[in-house]
Amino acid sequence: TLLGPQQEHWLESSLADARGVWTVLGQQSLFGKRDNLPGPGELLWNDSWDGYAPARRRVTDAFQKHGVANPVILGGDVHENWVGHVLADYDRPDSPVVGVEFCGTSITSRAGGADRVAQRLAENPHFVFADGWRRGYGLCEFTPERLTTRLRVVEDVSRFETGIETLAAFEVKPGQPRIERLG
């Protein structure tokens, strides 16, 4: 387990009691399964939820079991931006989408495999966007009508005075766990 039994029980109870338009789960890593090996076979990064697939499945099962409204998983610490759909069962690519995920990059640390991000994105169709070259942060705005997420990136992390821009922006509407790219 990634969380441990006590935290996992707390999360299950919290999801059972979740009320409101959006249910946000902030956590430390990439939640969705990410196969890093092009073609047949799999190469998973075990220092994330991929190393704890049964625990990840218990979370997605809890989303469904408790009818959790509009799950949004926010993560980080992978030195890349990843945006995707949360699947009920990552071993079945055609399984239902039960939520969305926005995993942000670091603000200064560089990615180790930025040149392979496009290849990994193609290998994992539940992700709709990824970038490993630019550093920055995500800005999420939750309203009853929509979730808007903007991935903000700095021009040069080595300069104190540097430009900042929006790398990509996305929208999710309540009741529709589908990420739409804006602009």
Side-chain angles (χ1 to χ4, degrees):
T1 178
L2 186 63
L3 302 176
Q6 189 174 1
Q7 263 189 327
E8 203 168 296
H9 175 72
W10 171 85
L11 179 58
E12 167 94 21
S13 297
S14 296
L15 292 173
D17 293 337
R19 302 290 178 264
V21 175
W22 302 98
T23 304
V24 180
L25 173 59
Q27 48 83 49
Q28 74 277 17
S29 191
L30 186 66
F31 185 82
K33 183 177 182 179
R34 186 176 63 181
D35 179 6
N36 296 294
L37 181 66
E42 285 184 335
L43 177 61
L44 304 175
W45 180 47
N46 288 330
D47 196 25
S48 70
W49 285 89
D50 280 343
Y52 305 90
R56 175 174 49 210
R57 181 63 187 265
R58 289 189 293 273
V59 172
T60 58
D61 286 351
F63 287 164
Q64 296 170 93
K65 174 182 168 186
H66 300 296
V68 174
N70 306 303
V72 178
I73 299 177
L74 302 177
D77 196 31
V78 297
H79 307 283
E80 300 167 350
N81 281 303
W82 285 85
V83 176
H85 297 109
V86 176
L87 301 182
D89 181 356
Y90 285 96
D91 291 330
R92 290 185 24 244
D94 61 340
S95 71
V97 174
V98 297
V100 297
E101 172 178 20
F102 296 93
C103 187
T105 184
S106 55
I107 191 71
T108 59
S109 301
R110 301 208 184 281
D115 56 332
R116 295 185 309 272
V117 168
Q119 199 174 43
R120 288 183 295 176
L121 183 60
E123 188 70 23
N124 299 280
H126 51 278
F127 287 109
V128 300
F129 179 86
D131 178 82
W133 294 107
R134 306 290 302 273
R135 315 271 57 85
Y137 59 92
L139 182 63
C140 298
E141 179 182 2
F142 293 89
T143 69
E145 295 78 32
R146 71 187 51 83
L147 157 62
T148 305
T149 300
R150 288 177 174 73
L151 303 179
R152 304 284 287 160
V153 292
V154 295
E155 203 172 277
D156 182 351
V157 297
S158 65
R159 290 190 358 238
F160 179 75
E161 297 288 332
T162 189
I164 189 162
E165 65 181 291
T166 297
L167 175 65
F170 306 91
E171 180 178 272
V172 180
K173 294 185 178 150
Q176 303 170 23
R178 285 278 163 220
I179 298 168
E180 300 288 331
R181 186 154 181 189
L182 301 175

